Amino acid sequence: MPEFKCDLVLSEEDAKFASGRITEYYQNFGNMADYLRKIKLERVAEMPTPLFGFNLSDDFFSDFNMHPEDMDFRVGLADHEIFHNYLEIITSHAIEASNPGRKVILMVYENNTNKIVGFIRLGSPMMNIAPRNRYFGEVLGAEQMPVFNKHAIMGMIIVPTQPFGFNYLGGKLLALMCCSHEVKKIIDEKYDMNLCHFETTSLYGSTKSMSQYDGLKPFIKGQGLTDSNFAPLMNDSYFKDLEKFFVEKNGGPIVWEEASSRKMKVQAKMISIIRKSLNETDRKNFEQVVDDARRLNERKRFYVSDLGYENSKDVILGKTDTLIPKSNYDRYSIENLTEWWRKKASNRYNTLRSDGRLRTTLEVWNENPDEIDIIR
């Protein structure tokens, strides 16, 4: 499989050009919120104009007089293109349309209104995460990963529509659904798995005091912070232009088709080649730019669920093949998880309404970006 030449060295002129492009890109951001907002606005600006009289946001839940006690939900598999188009105007993340490995995309509806309240994308777990290693008490090596992958899924996207998320703790509802018997069945049947481990990370990390995944014990529990030692990915146009430049200098294509994150690996390699191609003074300046960019990418909070099994760790570590349900296993059905959420959501909704803080305007990036509080 062709990749960058291991011995590729840029000329001093080319190295300065490439380092200048990266410096120009990252100097625009003071923090992660700045980064996310700029990328998102660029993405939304490229979206096609909707047909007259039609807007994607019309399908989002908007009956904010409805009390959580009166709500009913369903979750089901979604079409990839429809899911992506809806999600693009909701989430603050720049969504990658294609990801390698397993992929289960779900949309959640409130049944009385038949409106969308949230989006879930589940996928193959990342190869190595420090808090996961601490959770299992050891580093899961190459021999254990096939067993781990047979039993584990990662929450890549768990995003409520807004202000359903704000008014009703919608993010917590979606996270709980990821751990349900019903979603386990969907995943098991699609990929011939025997799911017993769910994990996810927060969008923000060390700079935020809380996450939508907090307060979900015993179903989902925090396991500390991830490590973060890479710069946030450059946006589409900057990345594509710089990659094209390196393809020309490399004398051939750059391919990492099986990588968990091709774009991340290509960007890291480009930075490495630039670093070794610069003179000492320019290298120090460039390394400072890269270090500052790395600090934008916060350490994320890491969360896990055993889906109601008391020995999920033992199964994943290969000590047994038989899953043993816990005494509260029945609580992991969508019906029972929703009832557990309903009490918290009712308290939240009643408080917001009595305080006059209930939000009633849909928050979508293609209509009112200045009103969006970047929390999703």
Side-chain angles (χ1 to χ4, degrees), residues 188-202:
D188 285 352
E189 291 179 351
K190 182 173 183 177
Y191 290 110
D192 189 26
M193 294 174 64
N194 191 8
L195 191 68
C196 64
H197 176 85
F198 164 80
E199 61 186 39
T200 192
T201 59
S202 59

Side-chain angles (χ1 to χ4, degrees), residues 142-275:
E143 294 182 357
Q144 294 162 304
M145 287 308 293
V147 178
F148 176 73
N149 287 330
K150 180 76 173 179
H151 297 284
I153 203 77
M154 189 168 199
M156 304 295 188
I157 293 170
I158 304 174
V159 178
T161 59
Q162 290 290 3
F164 176 83
F166 177 84
N167 291 340
Y168 302 100
L169 302 177
K172 295 185 187 298
L173 174 65
L174 300 182
L176 291 169
M177 288 182 170
C178 294
C179 309
S180 67
H181 301 324
E182 291 84 351
V183 170
K184 168 181 163 59
K185 182 180 180 182
I186 290 172
I187 297 169
D188 285 352
E189 291 179 351
K190 182 173 183 177
Y191 290 110
D192 189 26
M193 294 174 64
N194 191 8
L195 191 68
C196 64
H197 176 85
F198 164 80
E199 61 186 39
T200 192
T201 59
S202 59
L203 174 58
Y204 287 106
S206 50
T207 63
K208 294 288 183 179
S209 60
M210 63 185 66
S211 162
Q212 69 177 13
Y213 307 117
D214 293 335
L216 294 179
K217 294 179 181 179
F219 307 105
I220 298 175
K221 300 177 182 179
Q223 300 296 324
L225 295 172
T226 63
D227 296 332
S228 178
N229 193 34
F230 59 91
L233 297 178
M234 289 181 285
N235 74 337
D236 298 345
S237 60
Y238 263 85
F239 178 83
K240 289 177 181 177
D241 289 348
L242 199 57
E243 183 182 28
K244 181 180 178 182
F245 170 82
F246 270 86
V247 167
E248 294 173 353
K249 302 302 175 182
N250 188 55
I254 308 157
V255 181
W256 264 286
E257 292 178 348
E258 301 302 321
S260 58
S261 176
R262 175 193 178 277
K263 190 173 182 180
M264 183 185 299
K265 290 182 180 294
V266 171
Q267 179 171 305
K269 191 64 176 179
M270 290 192 293
I271 289 174
S272 175
I273 292 172
I274 293 170
R275 182 185 288 112

Side-chain angles (χ1 to χ4, degrees), residues 127-128 133 138-149 316:
M127 285 297 293
N128 189 29
N133 297 334
E138 60 181 275
V139 176
L140 300 182
E143 294 182 357
Q144 294 162 304
M145 287 308 293
V147 178
F148 176 73
N149 287 330
I316 287 173

Side-chain angles (χ1 to χ4, degrees), residues 7-150:
D7 58 349
L8 177 62
V9 178
L10 300 174
S11 68
E12 182 175 352
E13 180 181 359
D14 287 339
K16 285 186 175 181
F17 168 79
S19 65
R21 290 290 287 168
I22 291 177
T23 300
E24 178 184 11
Y25 181 75
Y26 286 115
Q27 70 182 4
N28 294 320
F29 311 121
N31 52 48
M32 194 62 174
D34 292 341
Y35 168 80
L36 290 172
R37 180 174 289 276
K38 184 176 188 299
I39 302 305
K40 174 53 64 172
L41 290 176
E42 290 176 356
R43 283 285 185 93
V44 171
E46 296 173 356
M47 291 182 67
T49 303
L51 297 175
F52 179 76
F54 175 78
N55 199 314
L56 291 174
S57 61
D58 293 341
D59 292 332
F60 297 157
F61 181 86
S62 59
D63 185 1
F64 302 116
N65 290 317
M66 183 180 290
H67 196 277
E69 291 290 346
D70 300 320
M71 293 181 176
D72 182 50
F73 302 98
R74 71 180 187 274
V75 58
L77 290 167
D79 174 81
H80 173 81
E81 184 175 358
I82 292 174
F83 178 92
H84 184 271
N85 289 340
Y86 279 127
L87 186 63
E88 192 70 83
I89 65 172
I90 283 292
T91 181
S92 52
H93 252 101
I95 303 301
E96 298 297 332
S98 178
N99 293 81
R102 298 186 179 101
K103 180 170 61 178
V104 177
I105 52 177
L106 306 167
M107 286 165 57
V108 181
Y109 291 81
E110 198 288 313
N111 286 326
N112 297 295
T113 58
N114 199 33
K115 297 290 187 177
I116 302 167
V117 299
F119 306 87
I120 298 170
R121 188 175 76 195
L122 305 165
S124 300
M126 297 178 186
M127 285 297 293
N128 189 29
I129 299 179
R132 178 203 296 151
N133 297 334
R134 293 192 292 269
Y135 175 72
F136 285 105
E138 60 181 275
V139 176
L140 300 182
E143 294 182 357
Q144 294 162 304
M145 287 308 293
V147 178
F148 176 73
N149 287 330
K150 180 76 173 179

